Amino acid sequence: MLTPKLERRARALNGLPRRRSGPLWKRVLTSGYTWGLLAIAILSLLALVDMYAMMHRDIELPDGSIAYGIPREIFVQAAKWAWPTALVWSALFIWLDRFRTLNISLYVMAFLWGGCLSTWFSMHVNSWAGERMGVTGQDPDTGARAAIFSAPFVEEISKVTILFGLALFIRYRLVSSLQLIPLAGLSAIGFAFVENIVYYARAYNYATQVPGIEDPIGEVMQLVMLRGVYTSFGHPLFTSMTAFGLVVGLRHRSKLVRVCAPLAGFCFSALGHMIFNGIASTVPLEQSKIYWFMALGVVLMILIMLIGHLITEMRRIRARLTDYVRTGWLLPDDPKTYSGPFTRPRLVFISLFQPSRVPATWRMIGTMTELAYLRDAMVRGLVDEAGNDRARDLVDAINADRAVAVTRASEPIVLPPLPKFLRRHRTPQLAPVPVRTHR
């Protein structure tokens, strides 16, 4: 038996979470997720304030012209045009993380990082690169040379930095592409959200200052449809390529693969981003339809790969849970129940009609999945004997929730009783009184 200190060290070396006890408020305050989210939120606020100050004030350019600042009201209107795209894509990426759902704070951190810190870093670096490349005009970072040769590398590096940071601190929880791609997608969607606000605000501000434009909103709506609908998949597509390379590196024992796989993924993402920006900057819009269909083909290939990964994850979870069935730690039906893409949502759906069983059902699904991935990491040699102690903790949690949780997808749905005001009031019938006869 290891002492508590040695056990904590062994778990830390393997990236396993340590045992936590005490009230909820204490666990929240001592969680690294809480303080990480707070730090990124503060930095994001400062970055937003700095970007707003940059674009709000008037700037005198070297050629003597004035670049007028963008009023606050225009930023508010631009945010109203940009938020539907961010909401739809964020929901899709969170839904994709179906098997081993991450902590909600990680989703928020990824979105804030991409939306605030990545855009702040990219705005400064792209502007500096545009000036070095001799781009002239009111907005150097929108020049073709900067957009093709500088922006792809700068933006992709800034968006995926959060992934590499999380891989260092919580590599135990990042076990599949179905987790890393949602985080990469949320970072990219956050970046696209703020970037769209900037583009829409600049276009609307310019349209309101040019006398020849009679319908400024109509002009901007063309840009909204282009960036918010037709090409909204661009940033998530490129950043997901780096996520694919990173997940290969995290799950491989070779140090060479761990280094080369993420690097190759980043090179593919930057190259794709460079081609995309090159076409958008040099090819007229009416001639770019063929390239748009080619990009949709790439998106379709990514979707097919994700479906393949989904099937692989189902089989992996079933196989690893079967290992614990053989040792007698789990029931024979558990692998089939907790590895299916449809049985798991059905368990949650059944529990919704009995609210007292929802927390236990939700916890048990997550615990079963974590146990399967823990076993897989031990089989691959990524986690040593310290994983056995963590496995015992998970099995104890499963046994504690099994009595309350919904554990069978075939369990009938129990409808809750109707409220009193909806029940039919019936007049109770009195029993007939026997008639006594006199003899």
Side-chain angles (χ1 to χ4, degrees):
M1 292 293 294
L2 297 177
T3 63
K5 183 177 181 180
L6 291 177
E7 182 184 355
R8 288 195 301 268
R9 176 175 174 78
R11 292 198 178 201
L13 291 175
N14 287 274
L16 300 176
R18 61 181 181 180
R19 289 191 177 98
R20 294 185 178 273
S21 59
L24 178 61
W25 65 268
K26 184 178 180 180
R27 297 198 303 270
V28 171
L29 290 180
T30 57
S31 174
Y33 296 127
T34 303
W35 297 104
L37 177 60
L38 181 61
I40 291 181
I42 294 175
L43 293 176
S44 299
L45 180 61
L46 296 176
L48 285 177
V49 171
D50 182 65
M51 287 189 292
Y52 174 77
M54 288 175 57
M55 293 180 288
H56 181 67
R57 64 175 181 267
D58 298 339
I59 300 176
E60 183 177 356
L61 300 176
D63 58 0
S65 61
I66 301 295
Y68 295 100
I70 304 174
R72 182 183 62 85
E73 294 78 9
I74 293 182
F75 279 115
V76 173
Q77 181 60 45
K80 294 179 180 178
W81 290 326
W83 75 262
T85 303
L87 179 63
V88 172
W89 279 103
S90 298
L92 288 175
F93 278 111
I94 293 175
W95 175 83
L96 181 63
D97 188 12
R98 302 180 61 185
F99 281 108
R100 194 179 181 188
T101 306
L102 294 170
N103 193 297
I104 188 65
S105 60
L106 294 178
Y107 298 142
V108 179
M109 280 192 281
F111 188 88
L112 289 178
W113 182 278
C116 303
L117 299 177
S118 295
T119 50
W120 176 84
F121 178 78
S122 299
M123 180 177 293
H124 283 278
V125 176
N126 288 339
S127 298
W128 173 84
E131 293 175 357
R132 300 285 79 77
M133 292 180 183
V135 178
T136 59
Q138 294 188 356
D139 191 12
D141 61 331
T142 59
R145 278 176 288 179
I148 297 174
F149 299 106
S150 169
F153 294 95
V154 174
E155 294 177 3
E156 294 303 325
I157 287 176
S158 62
K159 285 185 293 183
V160 300
T161 302
I162 184 67
L163 298 184
F164 288 96
L166 293 176
L168 291 175
F169 292 102
I170 59 168
R171 63 185 184 277
Y172 168 72
R173 295 197 61 86
L174 303 178
V175 294
S176 71
S177 58
L178 299 180
Q179 289 182 303
L180 278 171
I181 289 180
L183 289 177
L186 288 171
S187 178
I189 287 302
F191 185 94
F193 173 62
V194 177
E195 187 182 50
N196 285 343
I197 292 177
V198 173
Y199 274 89
Y200 299 161
R202 285 174 174 171
Y204 187 58
N205 189 49
Y206 175 79
T208 55
Q209 295 178 3
V210 176
I213 300 179
E214 299 179 357
D215 185 13
I217 295 181
E219 295 291 331
V220 178
M221 290 308 298
Q222 297 181 8
L223 181 63
V224 171
M225 293 299 298
L226 178 63
R227 296 187 58 88
V229 179
Y230 300 134
T231 62
S232 60
F233 58 83
H235 282 291
L237 173 64
F238 305 134
T239 311
S240 298
M241 294 180 182
T242 306
F244 273 116
L246 184 58
V247 73
V248 172
L250 288 175
R251 299 193 60 80
H252 209 282
R253 298 184 63 180
S254 173
K255 293 183 179 179
L256 180 63
V257 175
R258 289 188 177 187
V259 174
C260 293
L263 183 61
F266 170 76
C267 290
F268 276 110
S269 65
L271 179 62
H273 199 158
M274 182 182 296
I275 296 174
F276 183 87
N277 285 2
I279 294 173
S281 302
T282 59
V283 179
L285 183 61
E286 59 274 5
Q287 300 178 9
S288 60
K289 290 184 179 180
I290 184 173
Y291 301 104
W292 183 74
F293 285 109
M294 293 172 60
L296 287 183
V298 176
V299 174
L300 181 60
M301 292 174 57
I302 297 294
L303 291 177
I304 294 174
M305 292 178 60
L306 288 177
I307 294 174
H309 279 269
L310 179 64
I311 297 174
T312 302
E313 296 305 318
M314 291 165 46
R315 294 174 178 174
R316 178 180 290 119
I317 292 174
R318 181 174 299 187
R320 298 316 176 197
L321 290 180
T322 303
D323 294 343
Y324 288 106
V325 173
R326 296 191 183 102
T327 60
W329 288 16
L330 298 178
L331 299 181
D333 293 337
D334 288 340
K336 183 178 179 180
T337 301
Y338 291 96
S339 63
F342 301 107
T343 54
R344 295 156 60 102
R346 179 167 175 78
L347 295 178
V348 177
F349 178 75
I350 295 173
S351 67
L352 293 178
F353 295 91
Q354 305 172 63
S356 60
R357 307 178 69 182
V358 173
T361 303
W362 190 267
R363 285 196 305 267
M364 193 165 176
I365 292 175
T367 308
M368 281 284 189
T369 309
E370 183 175 354
L371 182 64
Y373 281 115
L374 173 62
R375 175 61 182 170
D376 185 68
M378 295 178 66
V379 170
R380 291 173 176 268
L382 303 176
V383 175
D384 59 18
E385 294 298 324
N388 290 326
D389 292 331
R390 177 60 179 170
R392 295 188 187 96
D393 294 342
L394 295 176
V395 173
D396 291 340
I398 290 172
N399 293 331
D401 289 330
R402 192 182 291 276
V404 182
V406 178
T407 58
R408 293 184 298 110
S410 60
E411 182 174 329
I413 296 176
V414 180
L415 296 177
L418 293 175
K420 292 184 178 181
F421 66 89
L422 293 179
R423 299 177 187 174
R424 181 179 298 176
H425 297 282
R426 296 181 178 179
T427 304
Q429 297 181 356
L430 301 178
V433 179
V435 179
R436 301 180 61 183
T437 57
H438 298 281
R439 295 181 179 178

